[in-house]
Amino acid sequence: MLKLIVCMKQVPMVSELPWDSRTGTLKRELAEGMMNPACRHALEAALHLKHRCGAHITALTMGPPMAEEILREAAAMGADRGILLSDPRMAGADTFVTSHTLARAIEKECADFDLILCGCYTSDSETAQVGPQLAEELNIPGVAYAENLELRGHCLRIQRESDDFLETLEMDLPGLVTLTTRSFSPRYPSLGGLQDAFDQADILCLTADDLQLEEEKTGLKASPTKILKVFSPAAEKKNIVLKGAVKKVTDALFAQFGDRLGAAMGKDMKTHDHDSGETEISGEEEA
Ligand SMILES: Cc1cc2nc3c(=O)[nH]c(=O)nc-3n(C[C@H](O)[C@H](O)[C@H](O)COP(=O)(O)OP(=O)(O)OC[C@H]3O[C@@H](n4cnc5c(N)ncnc54)[C@H](O)[C@@H]3O)c2cc1C
């Protein structure tokens, strides 16, 4: 039977979260979590393969203890097993250390996998690096931004859109694919399924010690990415209102913005005849 692993991340349900200015990471504990949208599509792709060819699906996540919720939701959607990697020492990992940790767990718990499915990116950090880095860690082929999958024996046919072209690729398994949110519309788990998943589904929890992770390859300290500063750029927009007869307004417009209009249209617009006699111009700063 085909052995599938779906890597999924719990992300905050809101986009605006406070930052820890010391570490440059999000204070995730302040928001409710949800399954990252692209991971939901990856799980749906796995469920399609299961329906067509028969498969065993392991849902895998690294995160705080509350990340267990998305594994239970995955069970309610049809995953057969959930593995949670959770340990304070794993916190603050960048994509390099995240993929290293996921790879060690896969080698320990499901080394005989056929296919790993990931979301193409997350809604909270959006680096899109974990999938490709995980393929590198495990030394298997990887294809990112897949939209359609078709299994032919032990070969996976993948379709993806790239620079306005539709590419068809083939990959021998074992391999890894990251899925976009354009296909495999995720199903809703039934209420009964959710109830069973929260009451009954066994979730395997593994710590850094269980995975025998070396300290120098675990968590924030081991992460080579240092976020120096995170801030929301101040929106500086100036509204200018031109009033008066059409010709006067047009003239004033060219007088003020001829340079920029010319640059946008590839023409010299400064030569336009203008006379701003009766035109009223008022400007106000907007935050
Ligand atoms: C603003 C900001 C900027 C950041 N910039 C960087 C950066 O430039 N480089 C860097 O290395 N880190 C960066 N990080 C850290 C990053 O959040 C973590 O590395 C995170 O654990 C994984 O990265 P991601 O969410 O971007 O995953 P992505 O690579 O976008 O995720 C793709 C897929 O990988 C899988 N996946 C990702 N995380 C997990 C997980 N924890 N468990 C299971 N599967 C998972 C899922 O299938 C997911 O859909 C940044 C964080 C923030 C908040």
Side-chain angles (χ1 to χ4, degrees), residues 193-215:
L194 273 173
Q195 179 90 50
D196 289 347
F198 276 83
D199 288 348
Q200 292 161 21
D202 276 336
I203 304 293
L204 175 65
C205 297
L206 299 174
T207 62
D209 284 342
D210 294 326
L211 298 179
Q212 296 177 322
L213 291 176
E214 310 93 314
E215 203 166 329

Side-chain angles (χ1 to χ4, degrees), residues 60 85 96-111 134 136-139 206 208 210-214 217-218:
L60 171 65
L85 315 178
F96 181 69
V97 172
T98 299
S99 44
H100 177 77
T101 309
L102 294 174
R104 297 294 81 80
I106 289 168
E107 283 166 351
K108 181 171 189 299
E109 288 298 327
C110 14
L134 181 56
E136 283 290 312
E137 277 280 341
L138 294 166
N139 201 17
L206 299 174
D210 294 326
L211 298 179
Q212 296 177 322
L213 291 176
E214 310 93 314
K217 289 192 176 168
T218 312

